[in-house]
Each structure stands twice: as structure tokens, then as C-alpha cells.
Amino acid sequence: MTLKPDDLDQITSTTLGHYNTVAEDFREGTRDHDVSQNIDALLRHIQGTPPFTVLDFGCGPGRDLQTFRRLGHIAVGLDGSERFAQMAREDSGCEVLQQDFLKLQLPAARFDGIFANAVLFHIPKQELPRVLKQLHAALKPGGVLFSSNPRGDNQEGWNGPRYGSYHDLEAWQTLLTSAGFVELEHYYRPAGLPREQQPWLASVWRRPE
């Protein structure tokens, strides 16, 4: 199935419209989510001397931006939702870019790390190779990309008012490797549960020097 430009525009507008509508409830509902395992996974693989410049890609209302800033790093947010971007700026005090994920304009080689937590699955599979290469180019050589997505059987489509693309480990590894990344580690979340109770696939990748 090939998605045409009108299809992609509908996916973007409908998904972002949903997030704009539920923004306040989303902020309250996710405020206390513990993603410290994911933040640690990104930071421990970044080489060099902190503070690091980190792009929180799909930053939502800014919860993790506040964490990166509290840890002493230079955090920059990016979200497609106008409401989320506004919340993130107000709540974190960080620079926050509002950009459509399918029409990114990212600075070259600016970031030591990119934190893409629960976000890349919203990008249709046919567009992912291009977007991943844009993220690769936005990293400094040696920089690190973290991603976490709900895993699946390589299907995509609508889940209510949100569009999602759900990959298994092998398919995700193929996509990231093709975009020029080298895998550092992967794991399933939440930790300590049987695999069938771990819906999230997390992985960490490096842009080679």
C-alpha cells in the first residue's frame, strides 16, 4: 500500500488534531510515567564531556525536557502539536520547535543525542527511511539516537484518531541500519515482566564517527 500526499496530510492533521484536543489530559495522564531507564540508556552511550545537547523528538508537553535540563544538559524539544509545543515551552523553559515530522527542518550535526520516546511509530513506514536519515544528519558524528515504540507484526493503520506503524525487532533493525545507524543495545519494557507483557521495544543507536 502506497500512501499518497493527501493520505499523509490526513494522517498528520488527524493525529495532531487528536493530540491538540486531549493535550491537557495527556499531560496529566503521563506526568508521572517513569522513563528513567530510557533516559539513562541514551545518556550513558553519549561520548564526551557533558553537558550534552539533546533533542527530545516528539517532546509532548515537555516532561522529559524538564528531566534533561534538571540533569544539567541542554535540551531542545520538537513536536508537531501546536498545543504540546506551547506547553513544553512554558513548563520547561527550553527551546521547542514545532515541526511536522514529515516536513522536518533540522540543523545539521547539532545534537549529541536524540531522544525519540514513544513517537516514531506515528510515522508511516514508507516515510520512515527519509525521516531516520534526517535524524541521522542532525546528530553529531558519534551521536546517539534512542527510540522506544510499541512493538508489533509490521502492520500499520489507524488506532482510533491516531495513526501508527508497529514494527518487530528485525524490521526495526533493518530500517535503522539502512539509515546509517549502528545498534548499541535493545530491550523490552516494562522491565522484569514476561515478554508477552512487554509491549514496548526500546533501542539505542549510534551515528558512526
Side-chain angles (χ1 to χ4, degrees):
M1 176 184 69
T2 300
L3 296 168
K4 299 176 182 177
D6 286 349
D7 299 323
L8 297 174
D9 288 343
Q10 183 191 9
I11 285 169
T12 298
S13 63
T14 303
T15 301
L16 290 180
H18 166 73
Y19 279 121
N20 280 327
T21 300
V22 303
E24 199 64 54
D25 288 341
F26 185 92
R27 175 164 60 180
E28 292 307 312
T30 59
R31 188 187 299 276
D32 297 325
H33 283 190
D34 181 5
V35 295
S36 57
Q37 180 186 17
N38 295 344
I39 290 173
D40 291 346
L42 170 71
L43 294 176
R44 74 167 170 268
H45 285 292
I46 299 178
Q47 300 167 335
T49 304
F52 302 126
T53 302
V54 175
L55 175 66
D56 187 353
F57 184 80
C59 64
R63 177 198 63 207
D64 301 330
L65 282 174
Q66 295 177 67
T67 300
F68 284 118
R69 188 172 189 179
R70 192 164 56 246
L71 292 171
H73 301 292
I74 302 161
V76 178
L78 185 150
D79 207 279
S81 161
E82 179 182 4
R83 191 74 188 93
F84 278 167
Q86 179 185 2
M87 287 177 166
R89 290 187 195 105
E90 292 171 354
D91 288 359
S92 72
C94 296
E95 175 188 0
V96 177
L97 311 172
Q98 185 196 342
Q99 293 186 14
D100 179 344
F101 296 162
L102 302 186
K103 300 173 183 176
L104 293 172
Q105 294 181 304
L106 296 174
R110 176 178 176 186
F111 302 104
D112 298 293
I114 296 176
F115 188 66
N117 188 67
V119 61
L120 290 175
F121 76 99
H122 282 316
I123 297 173
K125 185 177 179 180
Q126 75 179 43
E127 303 300 307
L128 253 178
R130 176 177 60 85
V131 172
L132 290 172
K133 287 178 181 176
Q134 290 174 316
L135 296 180
H136 185 279
L139 283 168
K140 298 175 183 177
V144 177
L145 168 69
F146 170 88
S147 78
S148 178
N149 294 305
R151 60 191 180 91
D153 298 317
N154 306 309
Q155 76 279 19
E156 62 183 303
W158 291 99
N159 180 12
R162 305 187 308 167
Y163 192 89
S165 182
Y166 306 95
H167 312 275
D168 62 18
L169 174 61
E170 184 177 359
W172 191 244
Q173 289 171 325
T174 298
L175 281 162
L176 272 288
T177 302
S178 297
F181 289 99
V182 176
E183 185 176 358
L184 299 172
E185 67 168 305
H186 69 267
Y187 55 90
Y188 295 93
R189 278 176 52 85
L193 295 176
R195 182 59 48 80
E196 62 269 16
Q197 296 176 35
Q198 293 177 310
W200 293 90
L201 169 62
S203 56
V204 191
W205 305 82
R206 190 180 307 283
R207 173 183 170 172
E209 296 277 359

